[in-house]
Each structure stands twice: as structure tokens, then as C-alpha cells.
Amino acid sequence: MVKKLYGFLKFYHLPIVSGFFIGTSYIPFPPWASFFAFVPLWLFFRDQKTIRPVIIGSLITGFLLTLIGFNWVAHTLKEFGNMPWAAAMAALMGFCAIANLDILVGATTWFLLKTRLNLKPSTSLVILAISTAFFEHHFPTIFAWNYGFTFLWVGLPISQLAELIGFQGLSSLVIVSNLAFFYFWQNRKNKKGQIILGSFVVGFFILNLLGYGLYKTVPKPDSEIQTLITQANIGNQEKQYAEQGHAFRDHIISRYLTLSQLALQKATGPIDFMVWPETALPVEIQSANYFHTILEPVRQFVRQSKTPLITGGYGAEDKQNKTTNSFFIFNSDGSLQWPFYFKSILLVFGEYIPFSDTFPIMKKWFPAGDFARGPGPQIQTLNGLILGPQICYESLFSEFTRGLAKQGAQIIVNITNDSWYGEWQEPYQHGYMTLGRAIEYRLPLVRSTNTGISTVILANGDILEKSPMGQEWAQIYKVPYIKNPKLTVYAQFPWLIDAILIIVGLIVLGRQILARKK
């Protein structure tokens, strides 16, 4: 048994190395191996004559990178699903097996093209890189991460290129750039290898220089607001008890009110709006329940402070007869703005069970939320401001923020609860993926979370003071913005990087086909 395991590991050691490289190059790690992380896997693919080892190698890489980069899933299952640790770890293993199948799909597509078209080695490698990048973008996944966000995490100017091609485009650029290191490795003992490596270094420097140039040319804001973000650090058990009607409701609301009041006392000048996080108010806020006695202290606080409040809470949707995860605005007179926005992109197995409306028995098998799904991105107005609401998970999907930008949003407001995910990985991954939308669409983004990371990112990518993790906190920010923001290149042409990948792929394949006919 040990001998077989040793033989297996020896044969598949290169996919294992790639999995380690990729997993340790994503947030909260720096992108130390991003530009050569796929090289070991591609070297392994190059030598395979059948598809079976290609499939197994792809699965190994995907499994390992997920285990390293997204092991917070076990904590979530323990915290949110109340699973024992043994069951949570077993579920994590299952998640790791299916979470990043884009590598498998890309490699399988490449292998079929290679064998059926009898591709030359040079053509084959380019198609492998393009196929990997394309499916990394388009293969469905629960947590829509990519390789581009790590540049924002470490503060490299190249992240500013997201204005042109999005962070997904940067991710595709990272994957395709692995070609340079592949060729360098093949020619590392001769001058050609040095030229390839030197060209890559120069190219990376130029891209960062271009990013810095974009940063310096971001249009200057012509307006400014002041906002207060409150992070009350409510524990998950407290939230669950409160949502079930226990006595924690008054305590939770009191903490938000106290923190906000103390912060307002330090304010210099009027505050345009306060922001509390996702589901901050543990009671259904609806027109019929608006006068719920628990909400009276909130309405009174808003009226007395004459400061509008944006907060997460629960609503109801009559047509679907379900609860909503919603974004509410209390006007400065304490009135509730109508209509409110409710979440459109729901978290699978957290806020809905697939096919459960068709097969209701599944709701008993999987005791998760059953929320109504909103109609899509919808702007909200507040005293002349055009706000773009995001609720938690929605920030991971760039097309959602694109919808807000196209509707004329001036400021994106994100409310989030990341308290289910632990403190060492997911809050940073989710946080920086959310902040990246500000650069893609050149709109400032205000982010309020329950336990961290709460902050503001400006349209030029400057990130202001970040909240501590797992602590009560409140902060006032000055947020400059543009009254009539223009759509970025990425907002207008989100398909640009895909078009380039497809066109280059077709040209490479076409050249080989035409060469054979001659």
C-alpha cells in the first residue's frame, strides 16, 4: 500500500506542485508564484499520451489549491451548518474535489483539440493556456474568485488595469503569462531562456507603469459626502437567537445605536448617511411591520440625529411568499424609504436550496434559508445621491456591479456579514474582491460588515482606514465622488478579454491548418 502511494505521488508530483503554487499565491498570500504556478502542471500534461492522467492531474491540482486557499469552508460548515468537525472536514474534502473543475475542463478541451488536430507542440501549449484562461472565467463556481485580485491585495499598480479589462482580464493575463515561464524553463540553460525571462520582467514593469498612469489620470471628483460605518461585532449565536425571537434583539440594536451615537458626537459637519451591515436589524422590516416596537428606538435615533440610515434587515416578498435579505433606507425623518432593495444573487445552501421549489422535501433534507430572489441590480436614491446597493455575495459578480454602474450609480454601498467564515482567509478574500469593483467601474465603494473588513475604497483604488477584525468599531469617512460618472472601458466592453483569447486561439489553430494544406 505504501509502495503504491509512493508511486502515485511520484508520478503526479508536478500537479501537486502546481496545486501548492496556486493555493499559496492567492489572498491572504502574496502572488509569489502566480506567473509560473501552472508550469509544473503543463509540463506534466506535455508528456501524457492518454487523457486519463490529464484528468487525474487536473483534479489533484484543483483539489490541493482549494484545500490551501479555501479551507475556511470547514469553519463555515461547523459555524453555520452546526456540523461536527469530522463531518465538516469530510464535506470540505468533497468541496475541494469539485470547487475548481475549470482546470479539468480546460485541460480536457485542450487534450481533445491536440489529439484530433494533431497540434504541434508550440501551438498545443498556446491552446492549453488559452483554454485554461477561458474556462477559469466561464466555468461556474460558488465562490467566484480569480488570480487578478491578489495584485490589489499587495497594492501593485497593475491592479489599475482592471479599469480596462477587469480583474478577470488580469487573471487571464496571469494564466497566459505562464507561457513565458514555461518557455524559460525549457530554455533555461541557454541564452534564449535569459531573453524570455528578461522580456517578461520588462513587460511586467511596463504593465505596472501603465497601471500607475491610469491611477494618475482617474477623473477628479466634483462632490463629496460624509458617511458613518458601524461594525457592532455581533456573534453568530447572538444573531441566531435574535432572529428566532429571543431576547437578544434589544441588546443588538442597542449596540448599533450606542456605537453610532458615539461616532456622531465626534463628527465635524453633517453626515450624509450611516451604514449598518447585512441583517443588522434582527427583525422583519416591512411596511406592515414598520411600527414594530423594536424599531422605535432606531426611528427615534434617526429623527433626532437627522441622519439617514442604510441597514440590512429582513423583509417579505408577497408574490413569492418568502423572506427577503434586504437593503433598507431610513430617511432623516425616520420614515422607511419604499421600495426597498432585496438580494438577487443568493448563496446556494445558505439562502436557497436548488430545485427545492419543485421538490419541497429537499427543504427538510437541507435545513438552510429559503429567501426570495430579487429582480437584479437596482439603484436607490437618497437626498439626490444615486446609490448602488450590494448585499454580501453579490459583490463577487462583476456583472452585478456593472448593472449598477449602467443605471448611473455614483457610490456603491456594500453591506456584508462575513462572521460565518472565520477570520484568517475568507474575510480578506471577500473584502478585496468587493473592493476591486471600485477600480473596475471607477466608483467609490462603502463597505459595512458585521465583524470586518469594513472600509471605503475610492474610485482611484485608494483604500481608506480598514476596521479591525472581530471588534466593535465605528468610523466616519469623507468620500469624494463624481456626480455624472462615465462608464469605464470594462463596463462598456466586458467581453474584450474573451474576444482576444478566442481570436488568438483561432489564429493559432488556423495557421497550423493552413500550413498543412500547403
Side-chain angles (χ1 to χ4, degrees), residues 300-317:
Q300 184 177 355
F301 170 65
V302 172
R303 284 195 300 267
Q304 291 178 347
S305 66
K306 298 180 181 179
T307 306
L309 170 66
I310 295 171
T311 182
Y314 298 105
E317 209 285 321

Side-chain angles (χ1 to χ4, degrees), residues 134 494-505:
F134 183 83
W495 42 262
L496 183 61
I497 198 70
D498 282 339
I500 293 173
L501 290 173
I502 293 171
I503 291 171
V504 172

Side-chain angles (χ1 to χ4, degrees), residues 164-187:
L164 305 176
I165 58 175
F167 282 93
Q168 186 59 58
L170 283 172
S171 183
S172 296
L173 188 64
V174 167
I175 294 172
V176 173
S177 293
N178 275 250
L179 286 172
F181 278 86
F182 187 97
Y183 288 125
F184 161 72
W185 185 256
Q186 285 189 319
N187 299 277

Side-chain angles (χ1 to χ4, degrees), residues 443-459:
L443 297 171
L445 186 147
V446 177
R447 187 172 196 253
S448 176
T449 69
N450 183 36
T451 55
I453 304 169
S454 302
T455 188
V456 169
I457 181 171
L458 305 183

